[in-house]
Amino acid sequence: MIKSAIVAVGSEIFTGSIVDTNSAYLAKRLNEIGVNVETIMPVPDDLEKMVRHFERCLSECDILITTGGLGPTFDDLTAEAIAKAVGVELEFNETAYRHIEGLLLKRGVSIKESHKRQALLPKDAHLLPNSKGTAMGFVCQKGKSFSISLPGIPYEMKPMFEDYAIPFI
């Protein structure tokens, strides 16, 4: 049986500013497709804590699924933490940047430096398209384990999980 871990990223979970509905959704869907959920945990926007949690999950499970922390703000650290946890560098991903640029231009939003930062992804990451927002999801591998990073916004996360993560799993 495939073992998985779900990690919800965001300090706002700890302050009660948001309720983590993503983990419940993911756990239900994973169990429906025969994937055993071993761990569900929130983690704050703290790079060292994220890396430590991600490394532990990747060592204990076949699949780590993260939600949140993929946006353009300074505390969106999931891509950097995953890169460190799997032992690769961040690199500017041109495909992700073109997606961000195209979506923002269509919405009449000017590109900021923070948006470019959002295209810094783990080297050799496999991208998961986002038809609803700027944050591309991605898959990385460490040994025999995989990380699947999804946006935290439920209306972006759910279709990405259904359309791309489930077929990958």
Side-chain angles (χ1 to χ4, degrees):
M1 176 170 279
I2 298 173
K3 297 189 305 186
S4 69
I6 300 167
V7 178
V9 174
S11 295
E12 58 274 18
I13 296 168
F14 293 89
T15 63
S17 300
I18 66 160
V19 174
D20 172 27
T21 59
N22 289 342
S23 293
Y25 175 85
L26 291 168
K28 183 175 191 287
R29 289 295 291 127
L30 287 165
N31 279 284
E32 288 172 354
I33 64 169
V35 175
N36 188 45
V37 178
E38 302 267 315
T39 302
I40 298 174
M41 72 176 81
V43 65
D45 298 311
D46 177 298
L47 186 62
E48 289 180 24
K49 288 181 182 177
M50 292 168 70
V51 172
R52 192 168 54 250
H53 285 302
F54 294 169
E55 286 175 336
R56 183 170 63 86
C57 290
L58 287 166
S59 71
E60 295 175 359
C61 294
D62 304 299
I63 298 170
L64 161 63
I65 299 177
T66 70
T67 62
L70 300 180
T73 63
F74 72 94
D75 63 346
D76 287 314
L77 302 169
T78 299
E80 184 177 355
I82 288 289
K84 287 181 183 296
V86 302
V88 298
E89 297 294 319
L90 284 178
E91 68 179 7
F92 185 78
N93 188 297
E94 193 63 45
T95 302
Y97 182 71
R98 282 195 308 273
H99 166 75
I100 294 164
E101 187 178 48
L103 194 62
L104 292 177
L105 290 175
K106 194 184 328 180
R107 293 178 181 172
V109 176
S110 57
I111 307 290
K112 298 180 180 78
E113 200 59 39
S114 59
H115 293 118
K116 292 179 183 174
R117 185 180 169 283
Q118 197 173 8
L120 288 173
L121 299 175
K123 183 174 174 36
D124 299 324
H126 172 76
L127 296 181
L128 303 177
N130 185 346
S131 61
K132 309 287 186 193
T134 58
M136 300 285 281
F138 56 88
V139 177
C140 293
Q141 184 171 1
K142 181 176 186 178
K144 293 182 180 179
S145 298
F146 292 90
S147 66
I148 301 172
S149 295
L150 305 170
I153 300 170
Y155 75 83
E156 294 181 28
M157 183 278 295
K158 289 177 183 179
M160 188 181 293
F161 180 73
E162 296 295 332
D163 296 343
Y164 304 104
I166 287 179
F168 176 82
I169 293 169

Short mmCIF file of all heavy atoms in Angstrom, two decimals, residues 43-96:
data_model
loop_
_atom_site.label_atom_id
_atom_site.label_comp_id
_atom_site.label_asym_id
_atom_site.label_seq_id
_atom_site.Cartn_x
_atom_site.Cartn_y
_atom_site.Cartn_z
N VAL A 43 2.26 23.22 9.26
CA VAL A 43 3.59 23.73 9.56
C VAL A 43 3.58 25.24 9.28
O VAL A 43 2.99 25.68 8.30
CB VAL A 43 4.69 22.99 8.75
CG1 VAL A 43 4.56 23.23 7.27
CG2 VAL A 43 6.08 23.35 9.23
N PRO A 44 4.20 26.03 10.17
CA PRO A 44 4.21 27.49 9.95
C PRO A 44 5.16 27.88 8.82
O PRO A 44 5.94 27.06 8.34
CB PRO A 44 4.69 28.04 11.29
CG PRO A 44 5.50 26.95 11.89
CD PRO A 44 4.89 25.65 11.41
N ASP A 45 5.08 29.14 8.44
CA ASP A 45 5.96 29.68 7.39
C ASP A 45 7.35 29.91 7.97
O ASP A 45 7.79 31.05 8.15
CB ASP A 45 5.38 31.00 6.85
CG ASP A 45 4.03 30.82 6.21
OD1 ASP A 45 3.89 29.92 5.39
OD2 ASP A 45 3.09 31.58 6.56
N ASP A 46 8.04 28.83 8.27
CA ASP A 46 9.37 28.85 8.87
C ASP A 46 10.21 27.84 8.09
O ASP A 46 9.93 26.63 8.14
CB ASP A 46 9.26 28.46 10.34
CG ASP A 46 10.61 28.38 11.03
OD1 ASP A 46 11.44 27.53 10.62
OD2 ASP A 46 10.81 29.14 11.99
N LEU A 47 11.20 28.33 7.36
CA LEU A 47 11.95 27.49 6.43
C LEU A 47 12.55 26.26 7.11
O LEU A 47 12.42 25.15 6.60
CB LEU A 47 13.05 28.31 5.73
CG LEU A 47 13.81 27.58 4.62
CD1 LEU A 47 12.88 27.17 3.49
CD2 LEU A 47 14.93 28.46 4.10
N GLU A 48 13.21 26.44 8.24
CA GLU A 48 13.85 25.31 8.91
C GLU A 48 12.84 24.25 9.35
O GLU A 48 13.06 23.05 9.19
CB GLU A 48 14.66 25.78 10.12
CG GLU A 48 15.92 26.53 9.73
CD GLU A 48 16.72 27.00 10.94
OE1 GLU A 48 16.57 26.40 12.03
OE2 GLU A 48 17.46 27.98 10.80
N LYS A 49 11.71 24.70 9.91
CA LYS A 49 10.67 23.75 10.33
C LYS A 49 10.08 23.02 9.12
O LYS A 49 9.82 21.82 9.17
CB LYS A 49 9.57 24.46 11.11
CG LYS A 49 10.00 24.88 12.49
CD LYS A 49 8.89 25.57 13.24
CE LYS A 49 9.38 26.02 14.62
NZ LYS A 49 8.36 26.75 15.36
N MET A 50 9.87 23.76 8.05
CA MET A 50 9.31 23.14 6.84
C MET A 50 10.26 22.06 6.31
O MET A 50 9.84 20.94 6.03
CB MET A 50 9.06 24.22 5.78
CG MET A 50 7.94 25.17 6.15
SD MET A 50 7.87 26.63 5.08
CE MET A 50 7.31 25.92 3.55
N VAL A 51 11.53 22.40 6.18
CA VAL A 51 12.51 21.44 5.66
C VAL A 51 12.54 20.20 6.55
O VAL A 51 12.51 19.07 6.06
CB VAL A 51 13.92 22.07 5.53
CG1 VAL A 51 14.96 21.01 5.18
CG2 VAL A 51 13.92 23.19 4.49
N ARG A 52 12.59 20.41 7.83
CA ARG A 52 12.64 19.28 8.78
C ARG A 52 11.41 18.37 8.63
O ARG A 52 11.52 17.15 8.54
CB ARG A 52 12.74 19.82 10.21
CG ARG A 52 13.10 18.77 11.22
CD ARG A 52 13.50 19.34 12.58
NE ARG A 52 12.53 20.27 13.17
CZ ARG A 52 12.72 21.58 13.29
NH1 ARG A 52 13.85 22.15 12.90
NH2 ARG A 52 11.80 22.36 13.83
N HIS A 53 10.21 18.96 8.55
CA HIS A 53 8.99 18.18 8.38
C HIS A 53 8.96 17.47 7.02
O HIS A 53 8.59 16.30 6.93
CB HIS A 53 7.75 19.06 8.52
CG HIS A 53 7.44 19.45 9.93
ND1 HIS A 53 7.21 18.55 10.94
CD2 HIS A 53 7.30 20.67 10.49
CE1 HIS A 53 6.95 19.19 12.06
NE2 HIS A 53 7.01 20.48 11.82
N PHE A 54 9.36 18.18 5.98
CA PHE A 54 9.34 17.59 4.64
C PHE A 54 10.32 16.42 4.56
O PHE A 54 10.00 15.37 4.00
CB PHE A 54 9.68 18.63 3.57
CG PHE A 54 8.66 19.74 3.41
CD1 PHE A 54 8.97 20.85 2.65
CD2 PHE A 54 7.42 19.70 4.03
CE1 PHE A 54 8.06 21.89 2.47
CE2 PHE A 54 6.49 20.73 3.87
CZ PHE A 54 6.82 21.83 3.08
N GLU A 55 11.52 16.59 5.12
CA GLU A 55 12.51 15.50 5.10
C GLU A 55 11.99 14.27 5.83
O GLU A 55 12.13 13.14 5.36
CB GLU A 55 13.83 15.97 5.73
CG GLU A 55 14.62 16.90 4.86
CD GLU A 55 15.86 17.45 5.54
OE1 GLU A 55 15.92 17.52 6.79
OE2 GLU A 55 16.78 17.86 4.81
N ARG A 56 11.37 14.50 6.99
CA ARG A 56 10.83 13.37 7.76
C ARG A 56 9.74 12.65 6.99
O ARG A 56 9.73 11.43 6.90
CB ARG A 56 10.30 13.85 9.12
CG ARG A 56 9.81 12.69 9.98
CD ARG A 56 9.50 13.13 11.40
NE ARG A 56 8.44 14.10 11.51
CZ ARG A 56 7.13 13.78 11.59
NH1 ARG A 56 6.75 12.54 11.55
NH2 ARG A 56 6.24 14.73 11.72
N CYS A 57 8.83 13.41 6.40
CA CYS A 57 7.74 12.80 5.64
C CYS A 57 8.27 12.03 4.43
O CYS A 57 7.80 10.92 4.13
CB CYS A 57 6.75 13.87 5.18
SG CYS A 57 5.79 14.58 6.55
N LEU A 58 9.26 12.60 3.74
CA LEU A 58 9.83 11.91 2.58
C LEU A 58 10.58 10.64 2.97
O LEU A 58 10.66 9.70 2.18
CB LEU A 58 10.73 12.86 1.79
CG LEU A 58 10.01 13.93 0.99
CD1 LEU A 58 10.98 15.03 0.55
CD2 LEU A 58 9.28 13.34 -0.21
N SER A 59 11.11 10.60 4.18
CA SER A 59 11.82 9.40 4.63
C SER A 59 10.86 8.32 5.11
O SER A 59 11.19 7.14 5.07
CB SER A 59 12.84 9.74 5.72
OG SER A 59 12.19 10.05 6.93
N GLU A 60 9.67 8.72 5.54
CA GLU A 60 8.73 7.75 6.11
C GLU A 60 7.60 7.35 5.16
O GLU A 60 6.94 6.34 5.39
CB GLU A 60 8.10 8.34 7.38
CG GLU A 60 9.10 8.55 8.50
CD GLU A 60 8.48 9.24 9.72
OE1 GLU A 60 7.28 9.57 9.70
OE2 GLU A 60 9.23 9.46 10.69
N CYS A 61 7.36 8.13 4.12
CA CYS A 61 6.23 7.89 3.24
C CYS A 61 6.66 7.83 1.77
O CYS A 61 7.73 8.30 1.41
CB CYS A 61 5.18 8.99 3.41
SG CYS A 61 4.42 9.00 5.04
N ASP A 62 5.78 7.30 0.95
CA ASP A 62 6.01 7.25 -0.49
C ASP A 62 5.70 8.58 -1.15
O ASP A 62 6.34 8.97 -2.13
CB ASP A 62 5.14 6.16 -1.13
CG ASP A 62 5.36 4.80 -0.49
OD1 ASP A 62 6.50 4.31 -0.56
OD2 ASP A 62 4.40 4.25 0.09
N ILE A 63 4.69 9.27 -0.60
CA ILE A 63 4.24 10.53 -1.19
C ILE A 63 4.02 11.56 -0.08
O ILE A 63 3.37 11.28 0.92
CB ILE A 63 2.91 10.35 -1.95
CG1 ILE A 63 3.08 9.37 -3.11
CG2 ILE A 63 2.39 11.69 -2.47
CD1 ILE A 63 1.78 8.96 -3.75
N LEU A 64 4.58 12.74 -0.30
CA LEU A 64 4.33 13.91 0.54
C LEU A 64 3.52 14.89 -0.29
O LEU A 64 3.93 15.23 -1.40
CB LEU A 64 5.65 14.56 0.97
CG LEU A 64 5.58 16.02 1.44
CD1 LEU A 64 4.74 16.15 2.71
CD2 LEU A 64 6.97 16.59 1.64
N ILE A 65 2.38 15.31 0.23
CA ILE A 65 1.59 16.32 -0.45
C ILE A 65 1.59 17.57 0.41
O ILE A 65 1.23 17.51 1.59
CB ILE A 65 0.15 15.85 -0.72
CG1 ILE A 65 0.17 14.61 -1.62
CG2 ILE A 65 -0.67 16.97 -1.36
CD1 ILE A 65 -1.17 14.01 -1.91
N THR A 66 2.01 18.68 -0.17
CA THR A 66 1.98 19.96 0.53
C THR A 66 0.92 20.85 -0.11
O THR A 66 0.69 20.78 -1.32
CB THR A 66 3.34 20.69 0.49
OG1 THR A 66 3.59 21.16 -0.83
CG2 THR A 66 4.47 19.79 0.96
N THR A 67 0.27 21.66 0.74
CA THR A 67 -0.63 22.69 0.21
C THR A 67 -0.20 24.01 0.83
O THR A 67 0.14 24.08 2.00
CB THR A 67 -2.11 22.42 0.57
OG1 THR A 67 -2.28 22.44 1.98
CG2 THR A 67 -2.58 21.10 0.01
N GLY A 68 -0.19 25.05 0.00
CA GLY A 68 0.14 26.39 0.47
C GLY A 68 1.60 26.74 0.31
O GLY A 68 2.44 25.89 0.06
N GLY A 69 1.87 28.04 0.43
CA GLY A 69 3.23 28.53 0.40
C GLY A 69 3.84 28.65 -0.98
O GLY A 69 5.07 28.69 -1.11
N LEU A 70 3.01 28.71 -2.03
CA LEU A 70 3.53 28.78 -3.40
C LEU A 70 3.35 30.17 -4.04
O LEU A 70 3.64 30.34 -5.21
CB LEU A 70 2.85 27.74 -4.29
CG LEU A 70 3.02 26.28 -3.88
CD1 LEU A 70 2.29 25.37 -4.88
CD2 LEU A 70 4.48 25.90 -3.78
N GLY A 71 2.86 31.12 -3.28
CA GLY A 71 2.57 32.44 -3.83
C GLY A 71 3.79 33.33 -3.96
O GLY A 71 4.93 32.90 -3.77
N PRO A 72 3.55 34.62 -4.25
CA PRO A 72 4.65 35.57 -4.51
C PRO A 72 5.15 36.32 -3.29
O PRO A 72 6.06 37.12 -3.40
CB PRO A 72 4.01 36.54 -5.51
CG PRO A 72 2.57 36.59 -5.10
CD PRO A 72 2.25 35.17 -4.63
N THR A 73 4.59 36.07 -2.10
CA THR A 73 4.99 36.87 -0.94
C THR A 73 6.24 36.31 -0.25
O THR A 73 6.61 35.16 -0.47
CB THR A 73 3.84 36.99 0.08
OG1 THR A 73 3.53 35.69 0.58
CG2 THR A 73 2.61 37.62 -0.54
N PHE A 74 6.85 37.12 0.59
CA PHE A 74 8.12 36.77 1.23
C PHE A 74 8.01 35.50 2.09
O PHE A 74 9.00 34.81 2.29
CB PHE A 74 8.61 37.94 2.09
CG PHE A 74 7.80 38.13 3.34
CD1 PHE A 74 8.20 37.55 4.54
CD2 PHE A 74 6.62 38.88 3.33
CE1 PHE A 74 7.46 37.71 5.70
CE2 PHE A 74 5.87 39.04 4.49
CZ PHE A 74 6.29 38.46 5.66
N ASP A 75 6.82 35.21 2.60
CA ASP A 75 6.68 34.04 3.47
C ASP A 75 6.21 32.79 2.73
O ASP A 75 5.93 31.76 3.35
CB ASP A 75 5.76 34.35 4.66
CG ASP A 75 4.34 34.70 4.24
OD1 ASP A 75 4.09 34.96 3.05
OD2 ASP A 75 3.46 34.71 5.13
N ASP A 76 6.14 32.85 1.42
CA ASP A 76 5.81 31.68 0.61
C ASP A 76 7.11 30.92 0.34
O ASP A 76 7.86 31.23 -0.58
CB ASP A 76 5.11 32.09 -0.69
CG ASP A 76 3.68 32.55 -0.46
OD1 ASP A 76 2.97 31.84 0.29
OD2 ASP A 76 3.29 33.58 -1.00
N LEU A 77 7.36 29.90 1.17
CA LEU A 77 8.67 29.25 1.20
C LEU A 77 8.64 27.78 0.80
O LEU A 77 9.66 27.09 0.92
CB LEU A 77 9.25 29.36 2.62
CG LEU A 77 9.42 30.77 3.17
CD1 LEU A 77 9.75 30.73 4.66
CD2 LEU A 77 10.49 31.52 2.39
N THR A 78 7.50 27.29 0.33
CA THR A 78 7.39 25.86 0.05
C THR A 78 8.38 25.39 -1.01
O THR A 78 9.04 24.36 -0.82
CB THR A 78 5.95 25.48 -0.34
OG1 THR A 78 5.09 25.80 0.76
CG2 THR A 78 5.83 24.01 -0.67
N ALA A 79 8.53 26.12 -2.10
CA ALA A 79 9.44 25.68 -3.17
C ALA A 79 10.87 25.59 -2.64
O ALA A 79 11.58 24.60 -2.91
CB ALA A 79 9.37 26.63 -4.37
N GLU A 80 11.29 26.58 -1.88
CA GLU A 80 12.64 26.56 -1.32
C GLU A 80 12.82 25.41 -0.33
O GLU A 80 13.84 24.71 -0.34
CB GLU A 80 12.94 27.90 -0.63
CG GLU A 80 14.35 28.00 -0.11
CD GLU A 80 14.67 29.36 0.52
OE1 GLU A 80 13.82 30.27 0.47
OE2 GLU A 80 15.79 29.48 1.06
N ALA A 81 11.81 25.18 0.51
CA ALA A 81 11.89 24.11 1.50
C ALA A 81 11.91 22.73 0.84
O ALA A 81 12.67 21.84 1.25
CB ALA A 81 10.73 24.21 2.49
N ILE A 82 11.11 22.55 -0.19
CA ILE A 82 11.11 21.26 -0.91
C ILE A 82 12.46 21.06 -1.58
O ILE A 82 13.03 19.96 -1.53
CB ILE A 82 9.96 21.19 -1.94
CG1 ILE A 82 8.61 21.03 -1.24
CG2 ILE A 82 10.19 20.08 -2.95
CD1 ILE A 82 8.36 19.69 -0.58
N ALA A 83 12.99 22.10 -2.21
CA ALA A 83 14.30 21.99 -2.87
C ALA A 83 15.35 21.52 -1.86
O ALA A 83 16.12 20.60 -2.14
CB ALA A 83 14.70 23.32 -3.51
N LYS A 84 15.37 22.14 -0.68
CA LYS A 84 16.33 21.74 0.35
C LYS A 84 16.07 20.30 0.82
O LYS A 84 17.01 19.53 1.01
CB LYS A 84 16.28 22.71 1.53
CG LYS A 84 16.90 24.06 1.25
CD LYS A 84 16.82 24.96 2.49
CE LYS A 84 17.37 26.34 2.22
NZ LYS A 84 18.77 26.38 1.92
N ALA A 85 14.81 19.95 0.98
CA ALA A 85 14.47 18.61 1.48
C ALA A 85 14.85 17.51 0.50
O ALA A 85 15.21 16.40 0.91
CB ALA A 85 12.98 18.54 1.81
N VAL A 86 14.77 17.81 -0.80
CA VAL A 86 15.12 16.77 -1.79
C VAL A 86 16.56 16.91 -2.27
O VAL A 86 17.05 16.07 -3.02
CB VAL A 86 14.14 16.73 -2.99
CG1 VAL A 86 12.72 16.46 -2.52
CG2 VAL A 86 14.20 17.97 -3.84
N GLY A 87 17.26 17.97 -1.84
CA GLY A 87 18.67 18.13 -2.15
C GLY A 87 19.00 18.70 -3.51
O GLY A 87 19.99 18.32 -4.12
N VAL A 88 18.16 19.65 -3.97
CA VAL A 88 18.43 20.31 -5.25
C VAL A 88 18.40 21.82 -5.04
O VAL A 88 17.94 22.31 -4.01
CB VAL A 88 17.41 19.90 -6.35
CG1 VAL A 88 17.49 18.41 -6.64
CG2 VAL A 88 16.00 20.34 -6.02
N GLU A 89 18.87 22.55 -6.04
CA GLU A 89 18.85 24.01 -6.01
C GLU A 89 17.52 24.52 -6.56
O GLU A 89 16.83 23.81 -7.28
CB GLU A 89 19.99 24.57 -6.87
CG GLU A 89 21.37 24.20 -6.40
CD GLU A 89 21.73 24.80 -5.07
OE1 GLU A 89 21.39 25.99 -4.84
OE2 GLU A 89 22.31 24.09 -4.23
N LEU A 90 17.21 25.76 -6.23
CA LEU A 90 16.11 26.44 -6.90
C LEU A 90 16.62 26.96 -8.24
O LEU A 90 17.78 27.35 -8.34
CB LEU A 90 15.62 27.64 -6.08
CG LEU A 90 14.77 27.37 -4.86
CD1 LEU A 90 14.46 28.69 -4.15
CD2 LEU A 90 13.50 26.64 -5.20
N GLU A 91 15.75 26.95 -9.24
CA GLU A 91 16.11 27.55 -10.53
C GLU A 91 14.91 28.30 -11.08
O GLU A 91 13.77 27.96 -10.78
CB GLU A 91 16.62 26.49 -11.51
CG GLU A 91 15.58 25.52 -11.99
CD GLU A 91 16.12 24.50 -12.99
OE1 GLU A 91 17.33 24.45 -13.22
OE2 GLU A 91 15.30 23.75 -13.53
N PHE A 92 15.21 29.33 -11.87
CA PHE A 92 14.15 30.10 -12.51
C PHE A 92 13.51 29.22 -13.57
O PHE A 92 14.18 28.74 -14.47
CB PHE A 92 14.71 31.38 -13.12
CG PHE A 92 13.66 32.28 -13.69
CD1 PHE A 92 12.88 33.07 -12.84
CD2 PHE A 92 13.42 32.32 -15.04
CE1 PHE A 92 11.90 33.91 -13.37
CE2 PHE A 92 12.44 33.14 -15.57
CZ PHE A 92 11.69 33.94 -14.73
N ASN A 93 12.20 29.00 -13.46
CA ASN A 93 11.48 28.14 -14.39
C ASN A 93 10.75 29.02 -15.39
O ASN A 93 9.76 29.69 -15.04
CB ASN A 93 10.53 27.23 -13.63
CG ASN A 93 9.91 26.19 -14.53
OD1 ASN A 93 9.18 26.53 -15.46
ND2 ASN A 93 10.19 24.93 -14.25
N GLU A 94 11.23 29.01 -16.62
CA GLU A 94 10.69 29.87 -17.67
C GLU A 94 9.23 29.54 -17.97
O GLU A 94 8.41 30.43 -18.20
CB GLU A 94 11.54 29.74 -18.93
CG GLU A 94 11.27 30.79 -19.98
CD GLU A 94 11.59 32.22 -19.52
OE1 GLU A 94 12.65 32.43 -18.92
OE2 GLU A 94 10.78 33.12 -19.80
N THR A 95 8.88 28.27 -17.97
CA THR A 95 7.49 27.86 -18.24
C THR A 95 6.56 28.42 -17.17
O THR A 95 5.48 28.95 -17.48
CB THR A 95 7.38 26.32 -18.29
OG1 THR A 95 8.27 25.84 -19.30
CG2 THR A 95 5.96 25.88 -18.58
N ALA A 96 6.94 28.30 -15.91
CA ALA A 96 6.12 28.83 -14.82
C ALA A 96 6.00 30.35 -14.94
O ALA A 96 4.92 30.91 -14.75
CB ALA A 96 6.72 28.45 -13.47
#
